[in-house]
């Protein structure tokens, strides 16, 4: 799960990490008051969307007066921001963070993330702050430093110090920065983060260490024990069909094409998308109905696919393991009873209870094209929607 | 003759969380397949039977009474990490965790605890492991498998079935098939399984199925180039997956432009792996590879 920058900063403040003073607004009318209350010569107006690259896309403005804050608030609120992470459709700005400006002495990069190879949390830092870490990794990989953290001890002070010296934090600020790093680690662990990134981490002219920007992502699998974090979820930032699917525990992702897919298993679901594309089609979605899906869940999945009016055909590709083909068949038959199915449907069943599944579909009076293999199924659906 | 890696008909299996609905179903399936399931564990249910299998309160006691040496875990995600710890503490040879949605932080702790311990962990979030016609541990449909000489290793459950099915249809059996799981923090990785297949006298070739996210496939490819003396056919799913989205598996995500299918495919090709771009021809490609390497056997293609 992702949250907004202002929410991340709110959480970081609770861990004694210094962030710029700021106010959150949703209406232009609030802009002047907000700017007035932070008492600063220069204010920064920042669009709050769940995507990086806001600066380059014009979503971050420097204002030199209250009137300018107002002007930028008008400009940004309601605007569709297109960044390299939003996709071409962009995201509508519904919230702004208005922050005090600060005099930057130097910018750094700091993040905690999972090192998958080692199955450990890793502290990553660089003196090249303020730009994408991927860019630094490409151009100056030697300027990225890492400390792998033992979960038994947590982030050790010597490790944090070593990072500070490596990225050339001024000596007088090493202690403060070590504290900040340890606090960031505490925040990461307490809340089951999957990423905690401060970019840039800033040393100001008046010798303060500040998180000027912040990005926190959370492990979806641990939200059950982090109810406070769940409150930060912003449904405006998510795809409607993805929200609907998550209600039923379905794993669904919207794509740009017109062939709806219903598959069991994430790997097979991805491979199904790939093969549709290989045969010249475009998948409308990724959908893994999961292992232990009930008939109801399948019906809901089918409804979600059909609610997408770009969908011109559906390909169901099931290889039963835990999932039984007859459950899928019953779910499809049930869904098709309620919604008239007016697009071609290709079904490929294999695995547990395959014969039972085929029989249920045969008796359902639905107009279904069957396929023996996923290749045959993909070819057929691509042909049928031409 | 022992045609397999890690499990065979001597393996004595313990089912953790055996009284749950899914576990009961799969215990039955495994027993029907011929797996020697000797015990189950559900705290508080000691003294009961599931499909004729005695249930114990603790793993320790179950081992003492039945000498189980491998466990399979079906307990819910909230309790699964603890179940793994219990299995490792009891010094089982191997523990296979089927459970999906275990928090990453829990797995980090589990993996730290496992350092220096004898137990091998497979998974979590995996279909399990099977040595056809001897022992099936997990959730895979047994009937698609056939005893034979091809090793299969995969991050995806259903894609493993797909590959196995294609082999069996062509009369080509499998030595063992291992699902290593779709999570970012897993117990056994590609290299561990490849090493075992490389050592196994009864494995002729390997099918390796990866997906987007992380760099496990790249590391495995480099290992193969250096060490593997058997041909490997590879497939990577997720070529069309958008960046930054978790594709069902917690570990299947392209982040910061890293972990793409194309990147993996490129490295794997460079390391001599026979890459299949179309998952429906995994079986046919393996047939060609076996023939090229003089590994084709008269009983195949029946």
């Amino acid at each position: 799960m992702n949250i907004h920058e202002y929410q991340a900063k709110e959480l970081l403040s609770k861990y004694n990490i210094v962030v710029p003073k700021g106010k959150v607004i949703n209406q232009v009318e609030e802009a002047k008051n907000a700017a007035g209350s932070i008492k600063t010569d220069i204010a920064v107006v920042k669009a709050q969307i769940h995507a990086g690259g806001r600066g380059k896309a014009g979503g971050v403005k420097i204002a030199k007066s209250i009137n300018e804050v107002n002007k930028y608030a008008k400009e940004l609120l309601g605007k569709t921001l297109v960044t390299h992470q939003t996709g071409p459709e962009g995201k509508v700005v519904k919230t702004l963070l208005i922050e005090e400006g600060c005099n930057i002495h130097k910018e750094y990069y700091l993040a905690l993330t999972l090192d998958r190879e080692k199955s450990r949390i890793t502290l990553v830092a660089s003196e090249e702050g303020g730009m994408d870490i991927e860019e630094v990794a490409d151009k100056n990989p030697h300027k990225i430093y890492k400390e792998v953290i033992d979960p038994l001890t947590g982030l050790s002070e010597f490790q944090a110090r070593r990072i500070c010296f490596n990225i050339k934090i001024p000596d007088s600020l090493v202690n403060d920065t070590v504290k900040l790093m340890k606090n960031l680690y505490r925040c990461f662990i307490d809340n089951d983060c999957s990423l905690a990134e401060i970019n840039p981490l800033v040393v100001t002219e008046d010798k303060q260490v500040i998180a000027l920007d912040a990005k926190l992502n959370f492990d979806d699998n641990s939200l059950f024990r982090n109810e406070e974090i769940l409150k930060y979820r912003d449904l405006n930032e998510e795809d409607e069909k993805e929200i609907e699917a998550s209600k039923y525990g379905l794993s669904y992702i919207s794509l740009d094409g017109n062939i709806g897919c219903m598959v069991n298993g994430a790997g097979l679901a991805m491979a199904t998308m790939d093969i549709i594309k290989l045969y010249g089609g475009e998948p409308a979605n990724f959908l893994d109905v999961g292992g232990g899906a009930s008939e109801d869940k399948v019906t809901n999945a089918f409804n979600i696919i059909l609610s997408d009016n770009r969908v011109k055909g559906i390909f169901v590709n099931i290889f039963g393991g835990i999932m039984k083909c007859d459950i899928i068949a019953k779910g499809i038959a049930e869904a098709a009873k309620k919604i008239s199915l007016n697009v071609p449907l290709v079904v490929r069943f294999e695995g547990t209870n395959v014969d039972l599944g085929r029989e249920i579909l045969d008796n359902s009076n639905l107009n279904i094209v069957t396929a023996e293999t996923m290749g045959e199924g993909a070819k057929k659906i691509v042909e049928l929607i031409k | 003759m022992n045609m397999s890696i890690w499990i065979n008909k001597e393996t004595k299996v313990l089912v953790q969380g055996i009284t749950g609905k899914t576990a009961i179903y799969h215990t039955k399936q495994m027993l029907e397949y011929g797996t020697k399931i000797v015990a189950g564990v559900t705290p508080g249910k000691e003294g009961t039977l599931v499909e004729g299998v005695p249930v114990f309160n603790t793993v320790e006691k179950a081992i003492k009474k039945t000498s189980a040496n491998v466990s399979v875990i079906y307990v819910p995600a909230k309790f699964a990490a603890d179940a793994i710890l219990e299995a490792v503490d009891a010094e089982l040879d191997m523990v296979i965790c089927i459970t999906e949605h275990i928090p990453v932080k829990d797995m980090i702790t589990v993996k730290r605890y496992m350092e220096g311990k004898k137990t091998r962990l497979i998974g979590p979030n995996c279909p399990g492991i099977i040595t056809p016609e001897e022992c099936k541990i997990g959730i895979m449909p047994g009937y698609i498998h056939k005893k034979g000489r091809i090793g299969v290793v995969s991050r995806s459950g259903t894609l493993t079935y797909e590959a196995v099915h294609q082999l069996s249809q062509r009369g080509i059996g499998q030595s063992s098939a291992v699902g290593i799981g779709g999570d970012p923090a897993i117990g056994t990785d590609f290299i561990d399984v490849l090493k075992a297949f490389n050592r196994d006298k009864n494995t002729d070739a390997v099918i390796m199925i990866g997906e987007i996210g992380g760099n496990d496939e790249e590391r495995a490819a480099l290992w193969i180039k250096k060490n593997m003396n058997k041909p490997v056919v590879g497939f990577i799913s997720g070529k069309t997956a958008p960046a930054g989205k978790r594709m069902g598996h917690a570990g299947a995500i392209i982040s910061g432009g890293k972990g793409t299918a194309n990147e993996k495919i490129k490295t794997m090709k460079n390391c001599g792996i026979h890459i299949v771009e179309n998952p429906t021809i995994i079986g046919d490609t393996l047939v060609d590879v076996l023939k090229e390497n003089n590994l084709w056997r008269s009983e195949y293609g029946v």
Side-chain angles (χ1 to χ4, degrees), chain A residues 116-117 119-120 134 150 189 219 221 225 242 251 253 264 268 273-275 319-320 322 348 350-351 375, chain B residues 26 101 103-106 111-112 115 141 143 158 162 165 219 238-240 245-246 248 251 256 278 280:
Chain A
R116 293 171 58 145
E117 190 180 331
S119 294
R120 296 273 180 94
E134 294 83 32
D150 187 331
I189 292 299
D219 178 2
N221 289 344
R225 62 188 180 199
E242 289 176 20
S251 185
I253 289 162
N264 69 319
L268 190 63
M273 288 157 43
D274 295 348
I275 200 166
F319 207 123
I322 284 190
R348 182 272 177 135
E350 194 55 74
Chain B
H26 287 290
H101 300 309
V104 170
K105 188 170 76 185
D106 297 4
K111 288 203 70 185
R112 176 69 176 89
E115 281 175 19
Y143 76 90
T158 38
E162 192 71 51
H165 186 62
R219 288 190 300 113
K239 253 190 162 176
T240 53
K245 290 276 191 179
R246 242 168 248 287
N278 176 347
T280 58

Side-chain angles (χ1 to χ4, degrees), chain A residues 244-260:
Chain A
E244 185 68 12
S246 72
K247 282 184 199 158
Y248 307 111
L250 295 161
S251 185
Y252 175 98
I253 289 162
S254 274
L255 301 167
D256 299 329
N258 54 13
I259 298 176

Side-chain angles (χ1 to χ4, degrees), chain A residues 366-383:
Chain A
L366 286 169
N367 186 13
I368 293 171
V369 179
T370 55
E372 292 286 318
T373 68
M374 68 186 283
E376 186 194 328
K379 242 185 227 165
K380 279 184 172 166
I381 192 66
V382 172
E383 282 301 317

Side-chain angles (χ1 to χ4, degrees), chain A residues 296-340:
Chain A
D296 267 0
K297 207 170 165 181
V298 174
T299 305
N300 289 322
F302 211 69
N303 286 341
I304 290 166
I305 294 175
L306 284 171
S307 74
D308 184 345
N309 46 31
R310 296 167 312 166
V311 167
K312 300 276 180 281
I314 299 175
F315 180 26
V316 175
N317 184 17
I318 302 294
F319 207 123
I322 284 190
M323 171 55 77
K324 299 164 202 155
C325 293
D326 55 318
I327 300 276
I328 298 274
K330 280 182 196 159
I332 293 173
E334 200 51 45
K337 258 186 215 164
K338 286 170 197 149
I339 307 174
S340 61

